[in-house]
Amino acid sequence: IAVFMAASQTHNRKNINKSTDEALATYREVVHEARARGMSVRGYVSTVYGCPYEGSISLDSVVRVASGLLEMGVYEISLGDTIGVGTPRQVEYILDGLLRAGIGLGQLAVHFHDTRGTALANITVALQLGVRTVDSAVGGLGGCPYAPGASGNVATEDLVYLLQGLGIETGVDLDALISAGAFICGVLARQTGSKVALARAAR
């Protein structure tokens, strides 16, 4: 299962109606119960690179929430760029800070929204630093009702194209993936958010 909270106090209030401390206390009970039932728990930390309500978020806030989730037994932390404001320099700074705080690379994943077109650049930096788990969504679907103006997640099609270009084996058939993205975007009556898919369709 997964638990979600933000590095931002205000976003926690808006999204889950709890303060950061209250959220950590509640999730401690949830994670304990889940693990007692043999379940693994993944943690998501939102607004790592910026908050729609508070603006910049301190590294200390990110470290505090990520460390708190890991201490209660979450096996992995996905670092979310909820409103798509992150830049490669920020990604390097945050990851370096988490590593210096004693969090291992194997415990970290990245989760970028492509609102400002920097998701793939940010992912490239994370990969160069050793992160090996990247969240994405077919067709660039997704978003957050408490992050006004945020676009969907980075498109899986674009991520796979990038990884193939870097010589990283994914085991994913890009053509089949593009077809799947076209199907679901058609069902939802949405244009794909994948640049690779759009380029393929224009051929």
Side-chain angles (χ1 to χ4, degrees):
I1 66 173
V3 293
F4 294 77
M5 65 179 293
S8 155
Q9 186 86 248
T10 307
H11 195 274
N12 282 325
R13 285 288 189 194
K14 296 280 188 180
N15 198 35
I16 57 176
N17 198 31
K18 292 183 183 296
S19 69
T20 299
D21 286 338
E22 290 168 342
L24 285 169
T26 299
Y27 286 146
R28 192 168 290 110
E29 296 178 17
V30 172
V31 172
H32 179 268
E33 181 67 20
R35 296 187 72 206
R37 293 169 179 258
M39 300 177 185
S40 297
V41 185
R42 192 182 201 224
Y44 289 78
V45 181
S46 305
T47 67
V48 167
Y49 304 97
C51 171
Y53 308 105
E54 295 183 14
S56 298
I57 299 298
S58 71
L59 173 61
D60 287 345
S61 295
V62 178
V63 170
R64 177 185 170 222
V65 172
S67 297
L69 289 170
L70 287 168
E71 285 166 6
M72 65 181 74
V74 166
Y75 75 90
E76 182 177 70
I77 298 293
S78 180
L79 304 168
D81 184 11
T82 310
I83 56 175
V85 295
T87 63
R89 182 173 290 180
Q90 281 181 293
V91 173
E92 183 176 15
Y93 173 71
I94 292 293
L95 286 173
D96 182 62
L98 290 167
L99 294 175
R100 283 189 284 106
I103 297 174
L105 273 173
Q107 297 173 296
L108 296 173
V110 290
H111 180 115
F112 292 105
H113 290 247
D114 203 28
T115 311
R116 290 163 180 80
T118 57
L120 291 179
N122 293 337
I123 289 167
T124 300
V125 170
L127 292 169
Q128 290 171 337
L129 292 172
V131 172
R132 290 297 177 264
T133 304
V134 180
D135 297 342
S136 62
V138 170
L141 299 174
C144 175
Y146 298 100
S151 69
N153 298 286
V154 64
T156 307
E157 300 93 319
D158 299 351
L159 174 60
V160 169
Y161 181 84
L162 170 70
L163 294 172
Q164 289 181 349
L166 293 172
I168 298 172
E169 180 57 48
T170 65
V172 176
D173 182 327
L174 183 56
D175 291 332
L177 180 62
I178 290 171
S179 295
F183 169 78
I184 190 60
C185 287
V187 170
L188 297 173
R190 285 186 54 167
Q191 177 170 302
T192 181
S194 165
K195 293 176 176 61
V196 169
L198 288 171
R200 183 72 61 87
R203 289 195 320 196

